[in-house]
Amino acid sequence: GQQLNQSPQSMFIQEGEDVSMNCTSSSIFNTWLWYKQDPGEGPVLLIALYKAGELTSNGRLTAQFGITRKDSFLNISASIPSDVGIYFCAGQLYQGAQKLVFGQGTRLTINP
Amino acid sequence: DVKVTQSSRYLVKRTGEKVFLECVQDMDHENMFWYRQDPGLGLRLIYFSYDVKMKEKGDIPEGYSVSREKKERFSLILESASTNQTSMYLCASSSQIDGYNEQFFGPGTRLTVL
């Protein structure tokens, strides 16, 4: 099945650093979603983006829906230990599509 | 608060056993999904259901079947478990209102097949 190209696959950073990850695709998407998965848990929705160019923040997290509708990025500012986990992007190809296309995930590790 | 629950967090079964994974959501969602998650492969869709008694194959349906007899419950069945089905299984649900598909996930079931 189709997958999104998510990068980087893993990140090892120091506490307090900013983090940036992105997803790209050759297809146009109607909606972009960003999820976080804590170790041993299911993914939790962080941010949903509905319009090309949209920039949305949720605390220290900021995500953008690319203007071409083929990409999205997620930034985390001033990382803290609880940011550790796997971050997934997901896209909905068109409004009404029942399935999501997922990226392979970015595993974030933070050194205190 | 939206809630998706899965019947077991950890499960150990033997090769050849029939395995049932249960998922229940309390949000009156029309859509329900079963994924498996393996390191480096992300989330792969096994089956999904958009209504009671309706189901569609996902990307990796082989070796699995599903059942949806009630709107809130979606079951994944491994007819004859094999060691290559050892994985993390995630259930999700979403609403069809407005045409957007924000999926809400359960905590996952880590299945080991010996």
Side-chain angles (χ1 to χ4, degrees):
Chain A
Q2 187 174 15
Q3 275 200 318
L4 299 171
N5 299 312
Q6 185 172 350
S7 66
Q9 289 189 18
S10 60
M11 301 183 74
F12 298 85
I13 63 169
Q14 297 294 125
E15 184 177 351
E17 285 185 30
D18 296 343
V19 171
S20 185
M21 59 190 79
N22 68 82
C23 270
T24 61
S25 173
S26 56
S27 303
I28 289 173
F29 282 86
N30 180 68
T31 304
W32 284 93
L33 306 169
W34 284 93
Y35 288 87
K36 184 200 175 194
Q37 184 178 29
D38 289 329
E41 300 292 332
V44 172
L45 182 65
L46 297 173
I47 292 178
L49 302 158
Y50 304 107
K51 286 170 56 176
E54 180 181 357
L55 185 72
T56 296
S57 293
N58 179 4
R60 294 178 295 106
L61 277 60
T62 302
Q64 185 158 28
F65 192 144
I67 199 74
T68 64
R69 297 172 61 195
K70 294 182 178 181
D71 61 348
S72 177
F73 72 75
L74 175 71
N75 286 343
I76 306 172
S77 63
S79 59
I80 59 177
S82 61
D83 291 334
V84 163
I86 303 176
Y87 292 80
F88 290 99
C89 62
Q92 183 187 19
L93 277 168
Y94 54 89
Q95 191 160 347
Q98 290 152 331
K99 296 189 286 186
L100 293 176
V101 180
F102 283 88
Q104 288 158 317
T106 296
R107 183 180 293 274
L108 180 62
T109 303
I110 298 175
N111 299 316
Chain B
D1 239 7
V2 297
K3 198 141 190 202
V4 179
T5 56
Q6 295 183 228
S7 51
S8 305
R9 295 298 300 272
Y10 300 93
L11 212 50
V12 179
K13 296 291 181 181
R14 298 212 172 270
T15 301
E17 279 193 73
K18 191 168 185 175
V19 181
F20 292 86
L21 302 183
E22 305 283 340
C23 175
V24 177
Q25 51 96 2
D26 66 359
M27 296 165 282
D28 201 35
H29 283 171
E30 294 83 5
N31 302 322
M32 296 187 76
F33 306 82
W34 275 107
Y35 295 90
R36 67 176 280 177
Q37 181 180 17
D38 300 289
L41 297 178
L43 301 176
R44 293 183 291 167
L45 182 65
I46 304 171
Y47 268 98
F48 74 100
S49 168
Y50 52 90
D51 202 350
V52 175
K53 297 192 187 293
M54 306 303 287
K55 61 185 179 185
E56 282 198 24
K57 293 179 180 179
D59 300 318
I60 52 163
E62 296 79 18
Y64 303 95
S65 62
V66 290
S67 172
R68 193 163 180 204
E69 296 296 318
K70 293 185 177 182
K71 190 176 185 180
E72 67 271 18
R73 188 179 298 270
F74 193 34
S75 303
L76 180 69
I77 303 152
L78 286 66
E79 294 290 341
S80 177
S82 63
T83 53
N84 63 13
Q85 292 178 308
T86 291
S87 187
M88 173 73 135
Y89 290 87
L90 292 163
C91 175
S93 72
S94 71
S95 171
Q96 290 179 177
I97 295 174
D98 296 331
Y100 295 110
N101 187 358
E102 296 170 11
Q103 293 184 15
F104 297 89
F105 285 84
T109 295
R110 186 164 292 282
L111 173 67
T112 302
V113 182
L114 302 175

